[in-house]
């Protein structure tokens, strides 16, 4: 829906929200979107720093500074157009995929029926609900929904209904492939953790413990692949998060600041968290929970806008698409509210 909205209107989702809703609503959407973007920066910044720490033994704060320099370099590619930026992100995603695929095969011994059974959702106390919500937030990442519409809107507008339909088919293929790859990577993480650490004892769920466990139980190659994938994940998402933040501010408020200044501002909370010694794994999990709470705030406006024929023309949502988007928003809102209730009582 996000890509289709950018294709149909030539504008990004934050801009469409500013044009479609009343100002108090727009300001509220902007405020929560900024929190979501900063939460993403925090998570991925910490993740890349941990990756450098695991790979080279660099202390966390110097590793964070190195991450800052590399993320600035990735953002510099954006100045050359969207294609070099996308290729750099695609390369890093390939490193992530190869790292976890290697680790999955190195662990070995998985039973297909057991893997299938493990995909059935099950909650065992508040902690499992927190983890489930964190997985949803980490996978969907609401700020990327804003960004996807912007990347699509920047491309050359198709001329005529036939060309629009061809462009939509291409977008659909890109989106399905991208989300399938992301889903496969996330599933491989869960399968690797279950296969390697279930019943092994002494595993506290932290990234450092996971790295040490892979080295101890599987071998140095698996540990190296895990750390490299973690580093690539942090670097790719930090650049994407900063660019999404720029789209959010410019679209909702019509305020444009230099991309590098934006990056400097958004990396400050992550550097502060690392400098004061907050446990990085705790910060990572909480930031992903924040992302999950942000999903309905982008999904509801997206459904409302993409079902409007006056904006979307012949690419307007069909009834089934609108229904599925609404159901997803209700389900995610429901589990978020359940978590708040469980934590309160």
């Amino acid at each position: 829906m996000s890509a289709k909205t950018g294709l149909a209107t030539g504008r990004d989702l934050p801009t469409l929200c500013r044009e479609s809703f009343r100002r108090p609503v727009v300001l509220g959407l902007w405020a929560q979107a900024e929190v979501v973007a900063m939460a993403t920066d925090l998570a991925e910044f910490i993740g890349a720093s941990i990756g450098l720490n695991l790979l080279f033994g660099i202390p966390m704060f110097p590793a964070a500074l190195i991450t800052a320099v590399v993320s600035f370099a990735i953002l510099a590619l954006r100045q050359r157009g969207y294609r070099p930026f996308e290729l750099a992100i695609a390369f890093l995603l390939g490193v992530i995929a190869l790292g976890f695929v290697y680790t999955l095969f190195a662990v070995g011994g998985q039973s297909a029926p057991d893997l299938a059974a493990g995909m059935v959702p099950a909650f065992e106390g508040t902690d499992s609900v927190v983890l489930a919500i964190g997985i949803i937030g980490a996978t969907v990442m609401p700020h990327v929904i804003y960004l996807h519409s912007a990347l699509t809107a920047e491309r050359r507008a198709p001329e005529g209904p036939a060309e629009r339909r061809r462009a939509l088919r291409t977008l659909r293929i890109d989106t399905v492939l991208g989300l399938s790859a992301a889903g496969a990577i996330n599933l491989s993480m869960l399968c690797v953790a279950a296969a390697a650490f279930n019943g092994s004892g002494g595993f506290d769920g932290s990234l450092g413990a996971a790295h040490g466990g892979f080295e101890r139980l599987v071998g140095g190659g698996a540990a190296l692949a895990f750390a490299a994938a973690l580093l690539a994940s942090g670097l790719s998402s930090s650049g994407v998060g900063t660019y999404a933040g720029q789209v959010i501010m410019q679209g909702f408020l019509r305020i444009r600041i230099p991309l590098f200044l934006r990056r400097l501002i958004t990396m400050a909370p992550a550097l502060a968290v690392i400098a004061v010694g907050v446990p990085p794994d705790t910060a990572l999990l909480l930031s992903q929970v924040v992302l999950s709470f942000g999903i309905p705030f982008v999904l509801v406006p997206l459904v409302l806008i993409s079902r409007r024929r006056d904006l979307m023309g012949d690419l307007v949502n069909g009834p089934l698409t609108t229904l599925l988007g609404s159901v997803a928003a209700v389900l995610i809102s429901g589990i978020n509210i359940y978590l708040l209730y469980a934590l309160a009582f």
Side-chain angles (χ1 to χ4, degrees):
M1 284 192 292
S2 176
K4 184 173 66 172
T5 300
L7 174 67
T9 65
R11 302 192 294 282
D12 56 72
L13 182 58
T15 298
L16 291 169
C17 288
R18 189 189 73 236
E19 296 172 351
S20 302
F21 304 125
R22 301 173 72 174
R23 185 160 180 79
V25 175
V26 172
L27 291 176
L29 290 173
W30 166 74
Q32 65 82 32
E34 290 288 358
V35 171
V36 163
M38 285 189 288
T40 303
D41 270 344
L42 173 63
E44 308 307 347
F45 211 83
I46 291 175
S49 301
I50 294 175
L52 283 172
N53 176 263
L54 296 177
L55 281 171
F56 306 110
I58 302 172
M60 283 295 293
F61 191 72
L65 296 178
I66 294 173
T67 300
V69 173
V70 176
S71 65
F72 275 126
I74 294 174
L75 284 178
L77 294 174
R78 180 62 190 86
Q79 309 302 315
R80 300 176 179 271
Y82 70 86
R83 181 57 63 187
F85 180 76
E86 287 184 343
L87 289 175
I89 299 302
F91 170 77
L92 291 171
L93 291 178
V95 173
I96 300 167
L98 291 174
F100 280 107
V101 167
Y102 174 84
T103 307
L104 181 63
F105 281 100
V107 171
Q110 297 89 354
S111 162
D114 288 343
L115 286 176
M119 300 304 162
V120 179
F123 295 134
E124 297 179 359
T126 304
D127 288 346
S128 67
V129 177
V130 173
L131 287 173
I133 290 178
I135 291 173
I136 293 172
T139 306
V140 176
M141 295 190 296
H143 66 289
V144 177
I145 299 178
Y146 293 118
L147 178 59
H148 203 169
S149 65
L151 290 174
T152 307
E154 286 182 358
R155 302 182 182 185
R156 184 182 66 85
E159 299 177 359
E163 189 174 340
R164 283 158 63 91
R165 289 293 175 184
R166 284 196 297 271
L168 180 61
R169 283 195 296 270
T170 301
L171 283 176
R172 186 173 290 119
I173 293 171
D174 287 347
T175 303
V176 169
L177 290 176
L179 291 177
S180 298
I185 291 171
N186 279 280
L187 289 177
S188 71
M189 295 181 198
L190 295 175
C191 295
V192 164
F197 303 120
N198 183 35
S200 64
F203 177 59
D204 60 7
S206 68
L207 294 173
H211 180 264
F214 286 132
E215 189 168 21
R216 184 179 68 256
L217 299 173
V218 185
L224 178 63
F226 172 78
L230 181 61
L231 174 60
S233 174
L235 293 176
S236 63
S237 298
S238 65
V240 170
T242 302
Y243 185 34
Q246 179 73 12
V247 169
I248 289 167
M249 178 173 286
Q250 183 177 345
F252 281 120
L253 303 182
R254 283 189 287 193
I255 296 175
R256 184 179 183 87
I257 63 176
L259 199 59
F260 291 99
L261 177 60
R262 170 85 195 187
R263 182 69 187 119
L264 189 63
I265 294 171
T266 54
M267 74 170 58
L271 289 172
V273 166
I274 293 173
V276 301
V278 175
D281 294 281
T282 301
L284 281 171
L285 178 58
L286 292 179
S287 67
Q288 304 312 292
V289 172
V290 170
L291 292 186
S292 178
F293 276 84
I295 294 172
F297 290 98
V298 62
L299 188 53
V300 170
L302 177 60
V303 171
L304 293 175
I305 288 172
S306 57
R307 68 174 186 152
R308 288 178 51 182
R309 185 170 293 276
D310 61 317
L311 289 175
M312 300 292 292
D314 58 335
L315 298 185
V316 65
N317 279 355
L320 180 59
T321 303
T322 299
L323 175 62
L324 291 176
S326 303
V327 169
V330 170
L331 289 176
I332 295 173
S333 299
I335 193 173
N336 289 341
I337 293 171
Y338 173 77
L339 175 61
L340 293 177
Y341 174 84
L343 292 175
F345 300 99

